[in-house]
Amino acid sequence: MDISSVQKLCIDLISSAVQRCRLSEDLCRLSVVLKSSPPIIRVSISDTGTGSCLEEFQDLKCNREGIGTEKWDGLLSIKTTSISDNKIYHYHLNLRGSVSARRLTRLPSILKNDAKFSGTEVCLSISETIDALLNDIKHYFQKMLILKIPSVAAELVIERGDASGLRCQNVFLPNECSPLNFSSSNVERLKSGLEEYVLKHRNSLNNKCDSCFCSREKLKISSGVARSMESHRSPGLIVEAVIAISEHSESLCFRSSGNKTEVLHFKDFSPSSVSIASLNALTSIDWRSYGLTLVSAVDQVDHALIEWESLPPYLHIDMVIHCYHKQVITFPGKCKYQPDRHLIKKGVKLALDDLKEKHTGLLLSAHAVKICSYAPDLASSIAGIILSSNDVKFRSKCSLLLELSQSQEIGKQTVEDRIKEKIISVIETNDRKPEKIKEAAPFLFEDDRPQDLDPADLYLEEHEGGDDVFSFPD
């Protein structure tokens, strides 16, 4: 793994600590301490997860062009122990030079005196400013909150060694708007995490923004999960996609992002860059079948940026994609694989289909929207026929089918509205079905027509007397 900057090195070391915490069966603490003694910053990344195996650091490669020797000497100080060890082992690892020439120096160990604990601390000293590291590390933890890993509590501590001697601390614990059980599935945690990420304006707030989200009905969220089969050539992969659609009321704190959507990416429970497979999957989806028109999907390194055409100004879409192995991998960085384009596409489409299924009128296809536009005129015509009829039984049966009271006079507008609701309901029901299994739209109203009536006889019965035959517009 090439390290192109000090910031990336720190993020990769923090990601490794998160993986060690996930492998532990106990609650873990992850601590990042930045101690400034200008012009040097000492960075300490410690965790109480499973002990570290030095193999996980073997793939780290220091890019000479990215990190000059004047910023960092390439030395990592590693202290680690597992629950079964009776010592804390101490190493110096030099990442400068070629891998074959790299030298690992073992330093004197520290006795644990029969204490039972595990953990790792990685330290390095760099010539950099606090602010240059702080924003990237805080942004990393804010994104990690989306995953809601249940067994990890993280803290970021800044100690300034200047005259002010300031010490400040950020603790990244999920302040949950919707608490989860410890046994909740990964996708349930991802849904809850994205929900809070949106409610708290990308986790920049400690609590839900009540001025933008006065009601939970303004936020609609759904998920899709796609799985691949395990084989000797590739590990079994899982792709989870979660989509949130929010309707914002006018508020002072809401900052519109226009017709754009950030698609956050995670790989093996850590924020990741955008893969080519993911971009290809996003651009290959038939967005028009969900009432959306894609303009572009661009790689922005830590997320993909989708631009839509004519997205309503009050509507905003957030999306997150997480790809990981079915089985827990000890060192995910050593397992090279590319997420599958078809698997990502399937996960996103399942999330979109779930949104359409749960929320009436949401994400209707362009074709369905066009047909719905004819519903008012059609409803008005049908209502006129019903109300102008002198056949009492006919009008009574129509009122029954429309679930309208027969004991009082009913106005034309009421009849029109009820017929329009039923027409649109049928259109939406048919639009929610995948293209491959779509059937002819069901009858608007159920009747007691014999089910075994021959179709030819049915046609003659309905059109007897030379009535005109109408077809629906495209």
Side-chain angles (χ1 to χ4, degrees):
M1 182 185 299
D2 288 327
I3 305 300
S4 57
S5 67
V6 170
Q7 290 88 338
K8 189 176 188 307
L9 171 64
C10 292
I11 295 301
D12 287 337
L13 293 175
I14 296 172
S15 294
S16 295
V18 171
Q19 300 304 327
R20 290 191 292 270
C21 290
R22 284 190 59 244
L23 292 172
S24 174
E25 296 181 356
D26 300 318
L27 294 173
C28 295
R29 176 178 178 177
L30 192 159
S31 184
V32 178
V33 179
L34 306 179
K35 187 172 183 179
S36 174
S37 298
I40 301 298
I41 296 177
R42 176 178 167 81
V43 181
S44 169
I45 301 166
S46 60
D47 67 85
T48 59
T50 60
S52 170
C53 176
L54 293 177
E55 291 180 14
E56 63 185 280
F57 298 101
Q58 295 302 311
D59 282 344
L60 293 176
K61 299 176 184 178
C62 183
N63 189 323
R64 293 176 181 270
E65 297 178 358
I67 309 178
T69 53
E70 72 281 358
K71 283 194 172 185
W72 181 49
D73 58 7
L75 192 66
L76 291 180
S77 174
I78 304 170
K79 293 179 182 178
T80 186
T81 186
S82 66
I83 198 73
S84 59
D85 292 334
N86 57 10
K87 297 178 181 179
I88 300 175
Y89 298 100
H90 191 190
Y91 305 92
H92 276 174
L93 183 63
N94 188 0
L95 299 182
R96 293 289 183 187
S98 63
V99 175
S100 59
R102 184 177 302 165
R103 291 293 180 265
L104 178 68
T105 305
R106 183 167 182 171
L107 302 177
S109 302
I110 304 170
L111 290 174
K112 293 169 65 174
N113 297 323
D114 296 328
K116 294 293 183 181
F117 62 88
S118 62
T120 301
E121 181 184 29
V122 181
C123 297
L124 64 153
S125 297
I126 57 177
S127 178
E128 190 60 274
T129 64
I130 285 281
D131 293 337
L133 293 176
L134 192 56
N135 287 337
D136 284 352
I137 294 176
K138 287 183 68 174
H139 183 60
Y140 172 86
F141 279 122
Q142 287 170 345
K143 290 176 70 175
M144 283 298 295
L145 287 175
I146 297 175
L147 294 176
K148 285 198 172 182
I149 299 175
S151 57
V152 184
E155 65 174 354
L156 172 61
V157 180
I158 298 96
E159 297 181 0
R160 298 185 184 271
D162 52 19
S164 62
L166 290 175
R167 174 188 173 94
C168 59
Q169 181 174 346
N170 292 89
V171 178
F172 295 90
L173 287 171
N175 180 14
E176 299 187 356
C177 302
S178 304
L180 294 169
N181 295 325
F182 198 81
S183 59
S184 296
S185 66
N186 291 328
V187 71
E188 287 173 336
R189 294 185 178 280
L190 193 64
K191 282 179 65 176
S192 179
L194 182 63
E195 179 181 6
E196 294 191 8
Y197 181 78
V198 175
L199 292 175
K200 298 175 184 177
H201 292 317
R202 294 185 171 86
N203 282 339
S204 61
L205 304 176
N206 291 326
N207 295 292
K208 174 176 75 76
C209 178
D210 290 322
S211 61
C212 287
F213 298 99
C214 56
S215 169
R216 284 296 183 92
E217 294 179 359
K218 292 183 177 295
L219 181 62
K220 300 172 177 65
I221 191 163
S222 199
S223 63
V225 181
R227 297 176 174 86
S228 69
M229 299 294 292
E230 298 180 45
S231 69
H232 67 282
R233 297 183 60 184
S234 95
L237 297 178
I238 296 177
V239 171
E240 296 171 348
V242 179
I243 300 173
I245 297 182
S246 50
E247 299 178 24
H248 292 279
S249 57
E250 294 182 4
S251 66
L252 295 176
C253 64
F254 175 64
R255 179 171 59 86
S256 176
S257 55
N259 295 335
K260 295 181 175 61
T261 291
E262 287 187 3
V263 185
L264 302 179
H265 285 70
F266 292 87
K267 185 178 177 181
D268 292 312
F269 297 89
S270 188
S272 73
S273 57
V274 181
S275 66
I276 296 176
S278 181
L279 278 180
N280 289 340
L282 291 172
T283 54
S284 64
I285 292 173
D286 179 16
W287 293 103
R288 289 185 62 84
S289 64
Y290 300 98
L292 299 168
T293 303
L294 178 72
V295 175
S296 63
V298 183
D299 180 3
Q300 298 289 311
V301 182
D302 66 337
H303 67 273
L305 189 65
I306 291 180
E307 183 176 357
W308 309 106
E309 180 182 302
S310 303
L311 191 69
Y314 59 86
L315 206 66
H316 187 69
I317 303 173
D318 290 275
M319 196 182 311
V320 59
I321 297 172
H322 184 198
C323 182
Y324 60 95
H325 296 86
K326 286 183 180 179
Q327 297 181 346
V328 176
I329 305 297
T330 308
F331 310 123
K334 293 182 69 67
C335 185
K336 307 294 184 182
Y337 73 94
Q338 283 294 328
D340 183 78
R341 177 178 74 89
H342 299 289
L343 211 59
I344 295 173
K345 181 178 179 179
K346 182 179 179 181
V348 174
K349 283 176 63 64
L350 286 172
L352 290 166
D353 291 338
D354 194 38
L355 274 171
K356 290 182 71 168
E357 183 68 30
K358 290 180 177 177
H359 303 285
T360 302
L362 189 66
L363 298 178
L364 285 179
S365 68
H367 182 65
V369 171
K370 185 176 181 180
I371 295 177
C372 282
S373 67
Y374 296 101
D377 290 340
L378 181 59
S380 178
S381 299
I382 297 174
I385 294 173
I386 295 173
L387 297 175
S388 63
S389 173
N390 295 321
D391 189 331
V392 177
K393 290 184 178 181
F394 170 72
R395 294 185 60 169
S396 176
K397 187 171 184 180
C398 288
S399 296
L400 184 65
L401 292 173
L402 293 172
E403 299 174 356
L404 295 173
S405 173
Q406 303 178 49
S407 60
Q408 57 184 4
E409 189 70 22
I410 301 172
K412 183 180 180 183
Q413 190 62 48
T414 302
V415 177
E416 280 187 27
D417 291 342
R418 189 60 59 87
I419 295 173
K420 185 174 70 173
E421 287 175 8
K422 287 186 171 288
I423 292 173
I424 292 177
S425 175
V426 169
I427 296 170
E428 290 177 349
T429 299
N430 200 49
D431 192 61
R432 283 195 294 267
K433 297 177 182 178
E435 288 293 334
K436 291 182 179 180
I437 62 171
K438 279 188 179 178
E439 302 172 353
F443 290 113
L444 292 178
F445 315 110
E446 295 294 334
D447 60 17
D448 55 357
R449 185 188 307 279
Q451 297 299 312
D452 57 348
L453 187 63
D454 184 85
D457 294 335
L458 175 63
Y459 179 87
L460 292 174
E461 178 187 328
E462 290 183 342
H463 299 289
E464 188 176 0
D467 291 346
D468 293 332
V469 181
F470 295 92
S471 60
F472 284 99
D474 293 328

